[in-house]
Amino acid sequence: MLFTSSLSSIRDRFFTTNYGSTIILKACGFVEEHHARILSAEDGQIRVRIGFTMLEQFIFNCPRTRPVDVMLRVRHLDDHEEAGEMKDVLPAAKCSQVDVEILPKSVGWSQPEFEQFSRKLLWSLRSHFVSPA
């Protein structure tokens, strides 16, 4: 079923450290906390769905959480100029830029509700990806 929304997606960007494969563990913690389903995973990009459509709620007796898709794009900054600023703060760390886009996937969202829900998700996401200073 194809769904289109008149609501605007919510976008954010933050930076984190990436020792070895810790960025994968950070993403897994977020996915697990929100009982998200991984829709796609490619090199440097993951798309997850949080919540359930009305049909899924009815058929599978799922919780009544309206669905959103969360797209995470990770770009490692070790070899880029942008890393300079982060390298001053965390000189021994491998820095990564995380771009986030949250898209509504249900007709039940109003813009204020979607924005409030998205802010909570972004706060949770940042807390999972927080880096020690």
Side-chain angles (χ1 to χ4, degrees):
M1 173 185 272
L2 185 61
F3 168 77
T4 57
S5 174
S6 62
L7 299 177
S8 303
S9 65
I10 304 294
R11 296 171 190 252
D12 193 24
R13 171 179 289 165
F14 58 88
F15 298 89
T16 187
T17 55
N18 185 16
Y19 297 102
S21 300
T22 57
I23 205 153
I24 295 168
L25 296 173
K26 293 174 182 185
C28 287
F30 176 78
V31 167
E32 185 175 325
E33 178 183 323
H34 292 281
H35 306 287
R37 296 175 311 273
I38 298 173
L39 301 177
S40 66
E42 300 171 14
D43 191 29
Q45 182 171 300
I46 184 170
R47 185 180 190 117
V48 300
R49 175 151 306 151
I50 298 171
F52 304 93
T53 64
M54 290 181 75
L55 181 61
E56 290 170 327
Q57 291 172 18
F58 177 73
I59 293 174
F60 303 114
N61 195 26
C62 297
R64 296 186 182 271
T65 306
R66 284 172 271 173
V68 297
D69 282 3
V70 179
M71 175 72 77
L72 301 174
R73 291 180 188 91
V74 179
R75 187 171 72 140
H76 304 293
L77 300 178
D78 297 329
D79 299 325
H80 302 299
E81 284 184 21
E82 301 99 301
E85 188 176 302
M86 290 300 295
K87 288 287 187 187
D88 294 340
V89 177
L90 301 164
K94 292 186 176 185
C95 297
S96 296
Q97 173 183 306
V98 181
D99 291 312
V100 182
E101 183 175 10
I102 303 173
L103 304 117
K105 289 296 174 180
S106 168
V107 294
W109 289 108
S110 69
Q111 188 68 37
E113 289 173 321
F114 176 64
E115 288 174 2
Q116 182 179 12
F117 184 79
S118 295
R119 279 194 301 273
K120 288 179 184 178
L121 277 182
L122 288 171
W123 183 87
S124 174
L125 192 60
R126 283 175 175 261
S127 70
H128 279 279
F129 281 82
V130 72
S131 296

